[in-house]
Amino acid sequence: MKLAIVYHSAGGNTKALAEIIHSYLPGAEIYRIADFSLEKIDEYDGLLIGTYTWGSGDIPAKMLSFYRELEERDISHLTTGVFGTGETNYKHFCNAVNHFRNMLYINSNLAVVLKVEQMYQTTDLKRIKKFVELFQNKVRNSI
Ligand SMILES: Cc1cc2nc3c(=O)[nH]c(=O)nc-3n(C[C@H](O)[C@H](O)[C@H](O)COP(=O)(O)O)c2cc1C
């Protein structure tokens, strides 16, 4: 099974989350959004997307074109998951994750969603592992 983790991070919180997810999913390829092209998306069985939230609950600009491209492609074959970091003192906690979740729910085989407060803590590891396990199982069952 061919898997990719694609993320965007400005300050490092989402990067750290993407990397710990990758450590539990070592067979997956990991890309910063700037280095990933959707051209070969048909080759993948699973895609995990990581984003922080900006503005008033918005998708960061660098993730927005990716979101729109995904929305326009046929990704119905793809098992997906979305994860992100945010801060609960903002009105719309991890709302960029919600935007991706809603779009992926319609367009793909959405398996998992994960929201983490800023930098993940050791207390988050259990649910991060669970997120990866559920994703892997869903990909296995879909191929
Ligand atoms: C201007 C600004 C707006 C933000 N807006 C939100 C928001 O609406 N919701 C949220 O959950 N977090 C918001 N955040 C917090 C970031 O999403 C959070 O710090 C995140 O962990 C940053 O990820 P990164 O370190 O990967 O860049 C905002 C941060 C900044 C600086």
Side-chain angles (χ1 to χ4, degrees), residues 2-8 14 17-26 28-33 36 41 44-51 63 66 70 78-84 100 104 108-114 128-136 138-139:
K2 192 167 157 95
L3 307 175
I5 301 166
V6 180
Y7 71 91
H8 179 43
T14 314
L17 184 57
E19 286 171 350
I20 189 79
I21 287 170
H22 189 218
S23 76
Y24 295 140
L25 204 55
E29 298 167 9
I30 182 165
Y31 299 95
R32 294 180 312 149
I33 184 63
F36 186 72
I41 196 66
Y44 288 88
D45 304 299
L47 173 68
L48 286 176
I49 298 167
T51 182
M63 275 314 248
F66 182 60
L70 272 175
L78 207 57
T79 297
T80 57
V82 56
F83 62 91
F100 272 97
L104 294 170
S108 72
N109 180 25
L110 176 69
V112 276
V113 176
L114 177 72
I128 296 171
K129 277 186 193 157
K130 190 79 192 167
F131 170 87
V132 171
E133 254 174 49
L134 289 170
F135 175 68
Q136 264 181 318
K138 197 103 183 237
V139 177

Side-chain angles (χ1 to χ4, degrees), residues 4-132:
I5 301 166
V6 180
Y7 71 91
H8 179 43
S9 176
N13 294 344
T14 314
K15 179 176 194 277
L17 184 57
E19 286 171 350
I20 189 79
I21 287 170
H22 189 218
S23 76
Y24 295 140
L25 204 55
E29 298 167 9
I30 182 165
Y31 299 95
R32 294 180 312 149
I33 184 63
D35 302 328
F36 186 72
S37 158
L38 271 173
E39 286 313 304
K40 292 189 175 168
I41 196 66
D42 293 345
E43 294 175 8
Y44 288 88
D45 304 299
L47 173 68
L48 286 176
I49 298 167
T51 182
Y52 62 94
T53 296
W54 196 244
S56 333
D58 301 332
I59 296 173
K62 282 188 185 163
M63 275 314 248
L64 204 51
S65 51
F66 182 60
Y67 173 96
R68 291 192 177 127
E69 280 176 56
L70 272 175
E71 206 179 17
E72 283 176 10
R73 279 186 174 255
D74 179 2
I75 52 165
S76 52
H77 74 286
L78 207 57
T79 297
T80 57
V82 56
F83 62 91
T85 68
E87 294 178 29
T88 41
N89 56 354
Y90 282 91
K91 192 172 168 205
H92 305 291
F93 176 59
C94 283
N95 203 43
V97 170
N98 295 341
H99 285 304
F100 272 97
R101 177 199 64 202
N102 295 348
M103 184 274 286
L104 294 170
Y105 179 72
I106 293 169
N107 293 315
S108 72
N109 180 25
L110 176 69
V112 276
V113 176
L114 177 72
K115 298 177 183 179
V116 171
E117 172 79 24
Q118 299 186 70
M119 181 59 76
Y120 73 87
Q121 305 292 308
T122 49
T123 48
D124 293 310
L125 292 178
K126 201 172 157 195
R127 63 195 186 99
I128 296 171
K129 277 186 193 157
K130 190 79 192 167
F131 170 87
V132 171

